[in-house]
């Protein structure tokens, strides 16, 4: 983590969590120590919602000179996989954060088991033979207290014996659970004898077949926080009802007093942020994989060309709140544009080529036009672009019968070729259907960019690529994956809301020769078209570019 990042975190304004932390530091709580954690369940790839949580937890640690752990919350053997573990670690690091430690809740299984034994010994937990239905039936309602299970008063000895035998695999799945002896009259339903352990004969991605009982969330999360001496355990609002049990377990076990704090989830417009639904998109081939650039996963955003700095800046601007909101996707795109504008190398690519022949330019002549790589960055240097009598321009930049405000090329009109000469269109050659196939133009030798003495004032500047040395490229244009703003809260199934035009492949674009060696990870601005990055599918001789984002926000313009 760079010192620049630390300085930035320190100067930002306070949010309510920062106020809590600052009060704790002032009161000397935990010796003034701040230790947070990011606790993903390795059952999918991280998405943009997780990114806000990562930035929050690591950001707080940075700001207060503390630490932040990455802890895999891998207590559910059925859905978890090492593929996800690897991707999560890579994504956290790519975002710019290095965990103080990488831990696995599953490494704590022996200690969590000891904790459970301790609760039994202290009379705070019991083995219940009731079925899930029986437990539910006795639970009561928010206004009516629950009734005790017939097994609630088993002796400590009997509970210890049964729990050990559960662990040894003597009982079938679903036949017994370990429950806390909570408060059956509590208005918080979670306190009414919550489940702590269940029997599950499942293979775990790390502990294999060592265990056939697994702790429930409430028997694992706070205890893991405590084992790691986490001071501020930050989670999303749906865990508010669990806070009482979190504190209860810590108190009864008499272990390090971690504290839970909640903030509202961040949802992004035109996007789904639920691993379960994202998994469905992948498994049913609605997208090309977890890192399909249309996905809201961190790996997809990376592939698409978003920068970690832009995502961090976005998370900072969104901030945290207690109320769930739908964050505009356009704000994230704005942050991406802002960052890419500073770092992207400028280049010229023509998506839909139309041939221009410059009739008064010698056919055997070549000139090299020098162009800046990035006007925003004086250190970015320049590059040379070959110019010849045949060039490609964008089909959209020509119109035979233009409407009054069409300031591009048309018969008789002038256009500046970016960084080169002014041309005039003299003649349009068309195919049998009347579509233009070639423009015959003349150029003005004294209009060369940088030394223009022509006195001509074309109303437009267009991009171009030399037809004698341009190289072919495939360009993938992405649009929003969903057609509605809030697909997660729509009455229709989210699969029906997929935008059929979310991917457009331009198979035969032509790129300037300087892009021949472009590599994934590099950032480009194709003049007038947007920001682009080579896809991992790209290789020299077969270039493939992803459009990261357009130059301007076409959607907000269209909306209003
Ligand atoms: P999902 O529903 O997508 O599976 P999750 O909350 O179950 O999400 P976890 O792996 O358990 O996923 O989450 C790890 C951390 O990321 C948790 O602390 C969780 O609160 C946080 N998180 C998940 N989604 C969001 C979101 N949309 N906004 C903010 N934080 C989130
Ligand atoms: Mg979860």
């Amino acid at each position: 983590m760079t010192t620049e990042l630390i300085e930035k975190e320190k100067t930002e304004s306070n949010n309510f969590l920062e106020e809590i932390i600052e009060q704790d530091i002032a009161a000397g709580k935990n010796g003034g120590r701040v230790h947070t954690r990011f606790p993903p369940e390795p059952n999918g790839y991280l998405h943009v919602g997780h990114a806000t949580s990562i930035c929050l937890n690591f950001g707080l640690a940075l700001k207060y000179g503390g630490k932040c752990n990455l802890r895999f919350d891998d207590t559910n053997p059925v859905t978890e996989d090492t593929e996800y573990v690897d991707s999560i670690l890579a994504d956290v690091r790519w975002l710019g954060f290095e965990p103080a430690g990488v831990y696995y809740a599953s490494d704590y299984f022996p200690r969590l088991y000891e904790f459970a034994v301790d609760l039994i010994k202290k009379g705070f937990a019991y083995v219940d033979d009731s079925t899930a239905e029986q437990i539910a039936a006795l639970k009561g309602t928010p206004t009516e207290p629950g009734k005790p299970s017939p097994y609630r008063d088993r002796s400590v000895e009997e509970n210890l014996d049964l729990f050990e035998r559960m662990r040894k695999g003597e009982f079938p799945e679903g036949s017994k659970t370990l429950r806390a002896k909570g408060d059956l009259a509590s208005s918080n339903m979670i306190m009414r004898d919550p489940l702590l352990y269940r029997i599950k004969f499942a293979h775990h991605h790390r502990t294999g077949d060592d265990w056939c009982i697994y702790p429930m969330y409430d028997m694992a999360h706070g205890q893991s926080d405590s084992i790691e001496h986490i001071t501020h355990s930050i989670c999303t609002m749906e865990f508010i009802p669990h806070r009482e049990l979190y504190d209860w377990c810590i108190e009864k076990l008499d272990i390090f007093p971690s504290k839970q704090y909640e903030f509202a989830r961040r949802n992004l417009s035109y996007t789904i942020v639920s691993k379960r639904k994202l998994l469905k998109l992948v498994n049913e081939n609605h997208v090309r994989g977890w890192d399909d650039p249309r996905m809201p996963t961190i790996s997809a955003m990376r592939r698409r060309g978003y920068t970690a700095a832009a995502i961090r800046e976005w998370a900072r601007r969104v901030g945290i709140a207690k109320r769930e909101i739908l964050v505009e996707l356009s704000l994230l795109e704005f942050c991406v544009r802002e960052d890419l504008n500073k770092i992207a190398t400028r280049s010229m690519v023509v998506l839909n080529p139309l041939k221009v022949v410059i009739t008064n330019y010698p056919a055997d002549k070549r000139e090299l036009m020098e162009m800046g790589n990035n006007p925003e960055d004086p250190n970015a240097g320049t590059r040379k672009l070959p110019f010849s009598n045949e060039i490609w321009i964008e089909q959209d930049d020509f119109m035979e019968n233009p409407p009054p405000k069409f300031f591009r090329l048309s018969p008789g009109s002038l256009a500046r070729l970016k960084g080169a000469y002014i041309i005039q269109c003299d003649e349009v050659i068309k195919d049998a259907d009347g579509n233009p196939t070639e423009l015959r133009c003349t150029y003005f030798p004294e209009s060369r960019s940088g030394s223009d003495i022509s006195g001509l004032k074309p109303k437009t500047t267009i991009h171009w690529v030399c037809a004698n040395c341009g190289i072919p490229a495939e360009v993938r244009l992405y649009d929003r994956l969903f057609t509605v703003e809030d697909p997660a809260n729509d009455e229709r199934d989210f699969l029906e809301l997929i935008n059929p035009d979310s991917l457009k492949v331009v198979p035969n674009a032509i790129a300037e020769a300087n892009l021949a060696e472009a590599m994934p990870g590099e950032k480009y601005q194709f003049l007038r078209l947007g920001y682009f990055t080579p896809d991992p599918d790209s290789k020299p001789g077969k270039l493939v570019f992803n459009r990261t984002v357009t130059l301007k926000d076409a959607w907000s313009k269209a909306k209003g």
Side-chain angles (χ1 to χ4, degrees), residues 392-553:
W392 300 108
I393 66 165
E394 209 68 68
Q395 283 174 21
D396 285 352
D397 280 336
F398 173 79
M399 203 181 264
E400 194 173 8
N401 298 302
K405 295 262 151 139
F406 185 82
F407 294 131
R408 271 164 271 174
L409 198 58
S410 56
S413 86
L414 299 176
R416 151 85 54 202
L417 297 173
K418 176 76 185 171
Y421 294 101
I422 296 171
I423 56 170
Q424 173 176 309
C425 176
D426 304 320
E427 190 189 347
V428 189
I429 300 186
K430 289 182 265 189
D431 63 15
D433 301 324
N435 299 312
T437 53
E438 186 180 307
L439 306 180
R440 301 186 72 81
C441 299
T442 40
Y443 88 114
F444 298 89
E446 66 284 10
S447 68
R448 186 172 166 151
S449 267
S451 56
D452 181 6
I453 48 162
S454 69
L456 299 170
K457 296 264 178 288
K459 289 209 166 64
T460 184
T461 299
I462 61 178
H463 61 276
W464 54 276
V465 173
C466 169
N468 290 303
C469 40
I471 46 177
E474 176 183 318
V475 179
R476 299 175 183 166
L477 306 176
Y478 301 102
D479 202 343
R480 322 209 138 167
L481 189 51
F482 294 96
T483 51
V484 300
E485 195 161 26
D486 194 2
N489 292 307
D490 198 283
E491 62 218 12
R492 289 160 289 179
D493 186 72
F494 75 105
L495 294 176
E496 288 172 36
L497 305 171
I498 294 178
N499 176 4
D501 299 318
S502 59
L503 168 63
K504 275 202 201 96
V505 177
V506 178
N508 299 312
I510 304 205
E512 67 170 73
N514 294 305
L515 288 169
E517 307 287 321
M519 296 294 288
E522 293 173 354
K523 309 288 188 285
Y524 294 95
Q525 184 195 92
F526 294 172
L527 290 187
R528 301 174 67 226
L529 298 178
Y531 293 98
F532 292 79
T533 193
D535 188 82
D537 289 346
S538 187
K539 34 188 170 301
K542 200 187 171 308
L543 295 174
V544 180
F545 289 96
N546 293 322
R547 182 171 69 194
T548 308
V549 67
T550 53
L551 286 178
K552 292 208 183 86
D553 184 356

Side-chain angles (χ1 to χ4, degrees), residues 30-69:
N30 304 311
R33 210 167 47 81
V34 175
H35 202 154
T36 57
R37 87 287 171 264
F38 172 65
E41 195 183 338
N43 60 352
Y45 281 65
L46 294 182
H47 54 61
V48 63
H50 295 115
T52 62
S53 179
I54 293 170
C55 291
L56 176 65
N57 280 294
F58 283 91
L60 289 170
L62 279 170
K63 180 163 179 173
Y64 296 105
K67 290 180 179 169
C68 181
N69 293 349

